Amino acid sequence: MGILIFDKPFKSFEEQIDILENKYNLYIEDKNMALSALKSLTYYDLINGYKECFITNDKFEPGISLGFLHIFAQIDRHIQSTIFKYSTIVENSYKSKLAYVLAKNFGVCEHDYLDPDNYFRTNNKISFSRIQKACISIYDGSKPIPQPTKHYVEKHNHIPPWILFKNLSFSNAINFFQLLKSQEKHEVADLLIPDKNLDYYKKVEFIIASLNIIRNFRNKMAHNLKFITYKSHFHSLDPKTILHLLPPGLLHWKDIRQNKIGLNDIYGDILCILILLDDEYLQTSMLADFIISFNKMDNGKSTPMKLVKTKYFSITRLPPDIAKRFTALYEAKLKLLNL
């Protein structure tokens, strides 16, 4: 048997820098800084993660340096971490509201709220039997039982939905909503969006689309996949509905019609999170976190920082005046909360 020659052999940090300089024409302004960047963010994250944005014909664009990539990655990570943080809050809030309605209407025992008679058997290729099986597999002992479900299996005589759903995937939790019958679906929809002026069917449509958009972007971030160019192509928001639900100034018809933003992209994801948080304090906190990120770009006086801002907004297609939009809403909410 011959010796296997690996097509991705080990390369020292110094060798990685040499490849970047001589193969990819990346400008290395400081070798020590380059070593530090590669040690903290890795070659793959810095190069492969962003090469579709800055590489043409296997060469970096003129003006792109490792220092630029390092700053770009730090800004991107900060914005991603903010989106991820509030995505998780939305997921937990949604599961809590869903569990509340199921417990109220069907009971707190898993045998009752997982009874197939309480749901449509199928809807848009979603099968309740598959979701039921996924729920049962959490506590039946066929695999290690996670906490907090394990505690209830060992110490209590039933597993309430608000406990079981902590171990249920976001995807299956969303599918639960789609399989609810009209009364329960209406109750969950009103808890998520307590807007009496929005048609029930528009609410349901928005909830399904927005939860899936949040889930899709969250999964991209969780698995360190390409985030900044991603669009949720299988789920898109209805323009009239999101404009109705948002405070004035965050999204305009021009954004949608001319710039094609706000419906299934990063900005759409951020807006969905803001709507579904449905809590003035959380919304204010989220706006403040984003404003900090945007101010970091504006406060940078160096040429690389200015280039980072231009490139980041161009690639993500976030509105160039997003900081102004968010600051106006943030200040309005502070006055409302008397802070």
Side-chain angles (χ1 to χ4, degrees):
M1 182 177 178
I3 297 175
L4 178 62
I5 305 299
F6 295 107
D7 58 1
K8 291 291 183 180
F10 169 81
K11 298 290 184 183
S12 68
F13 293 122
E14 290 77 10
E15 288 173 319
Q16 292 174 33
I17 291 172
D18 184 66
I19 291 170
L20 291 173
E21 271 191 309
N22 298 308
K23 180 179 179 181
Y24 292 107
N25 281 5
L26 181 66
Y27 175 56
I28 309 293
E29 56 270 74
D30 184 322
K31 293 291 176 68
N32 289 327
M33 183 277 293
L35 284 170
S36 176
L38 290 173
K39 288 176 183 177
S40 62
L41 291 172
T42 80
Y43 181 99
Y44 180 88
D45 290 342
L46 270 176
I47 310 307
N48 296 57
Y50 298 116
K51 69 179 182 180
E52 68 174 312
C53 304
F54 306 117
I55 289 182
T56 304
N57 297 324
D58 285 333
K59 303 293 182 185
F60 275 97
E61 298 172 6
I64 302 298
S65 66
L66 186 58
F68 164 86
L69 288 178
H70 196 193
I71 297 170
F72 190 95
Q74 296 290 355
I75 293 293
D76 185 38
R77 291 294 175 85
H78 195 280
I79 290 175
Q80 283 194 45
S81 67
T82 302
I83 295 174
F84 192 90
K85 170 184 173 182
Y86 292 98
S87 297
T88 301
I89 294 173
V90 167
E91 177 184 355
N92 291 334
S93 175
Y94 162 68
K95 287 180 178 179
S96 175
K97 291 177 173 66
L98 175 65
Y100 176 89
V101 171
L102 298 191
K104 170 178 168 289
N105 289 284
F106 305 140
V108 297
C109 178
E110 63 274 17
H111 302 298
D112 295 328
Y113 63 80
L114 293 179
D115 185 342
D117 290 340
N118 294 324
Y119 307 88
F120 291 113
R121 299 301 172 97
T122 60
N123 182 15
N124 194 27
K125 298 183 179 180
I126 299 169
S127 164
F128 181 76
S129 63
R130 185 179 65 80
I131 298 173
Q132 182 190 41
K133 183 178 179 181
C135 288
I136 293 172
S137 71
I138 295 171
Y139 62 81
D140 68 359
S142 59
K143 57 185 179 181
I145 303 174
Q147 295 288 8
T149 298
K150 183 179 181 181
H151 174 78
Y152 276 75
V153 169
E154 295 175 348
K155 304 294 183 181
H156 299 277
N157 63 1
H158 70 286
I159 309 167
W162 59 85
I163 295 298
L164 186 66
F165 286 1
K166 288 187 178 297
N167 299 126
L168 186 67
S169 72
F170 197 3
S171 176
N172 277 327
I174 296 170
N175 290 339
F176 247 109
F177 177 74
Q178 297 192 69
L179 291 166
L180 287 173
K181 294 180 180 179
S182 59
Q183 178 184 330
E184 291 75 31
K185 187 176 286 184
H186 208 141
E187 288 183 41
V188 175
D190 285 343
L191 285 173
L192 290 168
I193 304 177
D195 186 325
K196 298 184 184 301
N197 297 316
L198 183 62
D199 178 78
Y200 163 68
Y201 295 101
K202 288 293 183 182
K203 275 189 188 182
V204 169
E205 180 186 66
F206 176 82
I207 289 167
I208 293 170
S210 61
L211 287 175
N212 275 297
I213 287 169
I214 292 169
R215 177 182 64 85
N216 290 339
F217 274 95
R218 191 208 63 178
N219 288 346
K220 287 287 180 183
M221 291 180 281
H223 299 292
N224 204 25
L225 300 173
K226 291 175 182 176
F227 163 81
I228 61 172
T229 56
Y230 178 69
K231 286 188 176 182
S232 185
H233 290 292
F234 293 106
H235 303 93
S236 188
L237 303 169
D238 174 67
K240 290 184 179 179
T241 301
I242 190 168
L243 284 168
H244 170 82
L245 290 171
L246 285 171
L250 284 190
L251 187 66
H252 310 291
W253 274 113
K254 181 180 178 181
D255 295 323
I256 298 168
R257 289 173 175 162
Q258 294 186 20
N259 301 323
K260 309 296 182 185
I261 64 171
L263 301 183
N264 66 346
D265 52 8
I266 293 174
Y267 193 48
D269 179 37
I270 293 171
L271 296 178
C272 286
I273 294 168
L274 191 66
I275 292 169
L276 291 177
L277 282 175
D278 191 35
D279 178 282
E280 294 290 347
Y281 287 98
L282 285 173
Q283 290 172 339
T284 303
S285 176
M286 174 179 163
L287 291 167
D289 287 347
F290 276 115
I291 290 168
I292 289 170
S293 292
F294 301 141
N295 284 343
K296 282 184 177 180
M297 297 186 193
D298 289 330
N299 291 338
K301 304 300 182 182
S302 64
T303 300
M305 182 59 83
K306 292 178 182 177
L307 182 59
V308 164
K309 180 180 180 181
T310 300
K311 289 287 187 180
Y312 195 82
F313 279 83
S314 173
I315 293 165
T316 60
R317 308 190 76 248
L318 289 169
D321 64 342
I322 188 173
K324 181 179 179 180
R325 298 186 193 192
F326 279 20
T327 300
L329 180 59
Y330 173 74
E331 291 174 350
K333 286 187 177 293
L334 286 183
K335 289 181 181 178
L336 186 65
L337 295 169
N338 294 317
L339 296 176

